[in-house]
Amino acid sequence: MTDSILITGASRGIGRTTAEHFAEAGWNVVATMRDPADGTELATRANVMVTHLDVTDEQSARDAVAAGIDAFGAIDVVFNNAGYGVFGALETIEPESMQQQFEVNVFGMLRVTRAILPHFRARGEGLVIQMSSIAGRAPFPLGSVYNASKFAVEGLSEALYFELAAIGVRIKLIEPGVIATDALGSSLVVHRDDELAGYRDIHAALMAAFEASGAMAAQPALVAGVVFEAATDPGPRLRYPVGPDAEMILARRRESDDESFLAWLRSVYGV
């Protein structure tokens, strides 16, 4: 029986590339996105079903899971990929923007996971793959809201690691560094208030760091390959870093105390 995967945020970037990777490997793919019109080309593949899923809408998540099961008979893996980044000095970020960051990056992930769990529990098996980030293990300047969302993903996934094992379900975390997608474009929201002069230097440093990291970014195909590795790895491994920058930062974090690690990051970011 062919394995099936449901992917959120599959209209572009990592989600789109991952959907194509799994389809080419012979998997059935439920490619979900807010506007299915963005997946017209994907939908031409015989083993891909494109359907609507807005991770901020619980009924939408349940409907997409049901549609995937109806199309392919079962879903074996869910890849919670949908997300974006909010950056800026905390004073400049309105509460609505903070809440929306968590609605998508954290509560959206929880909604989709809750929607698939009855199916996994009935089958006694299943795999949830979470799109985290190196930002879930190390801070960015002006990244308090985004970092908080990704640290939350790490924490909830560690807790679910134990909880889901009770029903035969595994969970895995993908932790990319900088990837060459529109995460540095339309999926990145940067707040700024030029009247708050005290933040100008750190804002300039952040923009310079984003620009420099874009030149060194790995390709989405690298992430897709690691997601496939995680999906086909039957073992209990939890974390899958992606990219040399992620490996380097995580190694430095393991080897350093907090003060030394944060001092090193200050030098890296020029703050």
Side-chain angles (χ1 to χ4, degrees):
M1 182 176 176
T2 303
D3 287 326
S4 300
I5 183 170
L6 183 148
I7 301 171
T8 66
S11 63
R12 60 190 179 189
I14 291 169
R16 176 65 171 262
T17 303
T18 302
E20 293 169 346
H21 186 109
F22 275 80
E24 288 165 8
W27 283 54
N28 293 323
V29 177
V30 184
T32 76
M33 56 199 71
R34 284 179 295 176
D35 184 358
D38 293 333
T40 302
E41 185 179 340
L42 270 178
T44 62
R45 298 172 181 252
N47 57 336
V48 176
M49 185 192 77
V50 173
T51 192
H52 169 73
L53 198 164
D54 179 348
V55 299
T56 67
D57 180 347
E58 190 158 351
Q59 186 61 52
S60 171
R62 290 196 295 263
D63 290 346
V65 167
I69 295 169
D70 184 59
F72 298 124
I75 294 173
D76 302 282
V77 179
V78 163
F79 177 34
N80 279 316
N81 165 72
Y84 74 108
V86 170
F87 285 82
L90 188 60
E91 284 188 76
T92 69
I93 304 174
E94 296 298 325
E96 295 79 9
S97 186
M98 298 179 200
Q99 183 161 344
Q100 185 65 12
Q101 177 75 109
F102 274 76
E103 283 292 338
V104 174
N105 288 13
V106 181
F107 297 120
M109 187 173 286
L110 291 170
R111 289 185 188 101
V112 175
T113 302
R114 276 171 48 85
I116 194 63
L117 284 181
H119 178 62
F120 282 173
R121 178 165 42 79
R123 302 181 74 213
E125 62 181 357
L127 173 63
V128 178
I129 301 177
Q130 313 278 55
M131 175 56 81
S132 183
S133 166
I134 194 61
R137 309 284 297 282
F140 284 111
L142 304 186
S144 59
V145 176
Y146 178 65
N147 276 113
S149 74
K150 290 303 183 180
F151 270 71
V153 168
E154 294 277 329
L156 70 87
S157 298
E158 285 194 351
L160 287 173
Y161 184 89
F162 300 106
E163 177 181 328
L164 299 186
I167 58 171
V169 177
R170 295 174 298 135
I171 191 162
K172 295 175 181 286
L173 284 159
I174 307 298
E175 299 174 328
V178 177
I179 306 297
T181 71
D182 67 349
L184 296 177
S186 62
S187 291
L188 180 69
V189 178
V190 180
H191 294 258
R192 178 175 181 175
D193 184 342
D194 287 335
E195 293 185 6
L196 301 177
Y199 299 116
R200 287 177 186 166
D201 288 348
I202 194 170
H203 183 91
L206 175 67
M207 293 297 99
F210 279 156
E211 184 175 350
S213 65
M216 301 181 293
Q219 295 301 311
L222 180 64
V223 185
V226 174
V227 175
F228 190 79
E229 176 190 354
T232 54
D233 178 0
R237 180 179 174 187
L238 175 62
R239 289 187 166 90
Y240 294 75
V242 186
D245 54 343
E247 296 279 3
M248 176 186 66
I249 290 171
L250 290 176
R252 178 74 68 149
R253 173 123 245 183
R254 287 192 300 269
E255 296 163 1
S256 306
D257 58 32
D258 287 343
E259 292 75 17
S260 299
F261 179 67
L262 294 174
W264 174 73
L265 281 181
R266 287 180 67 94
S267 68
V268 168
Y269 295 131
V271 295

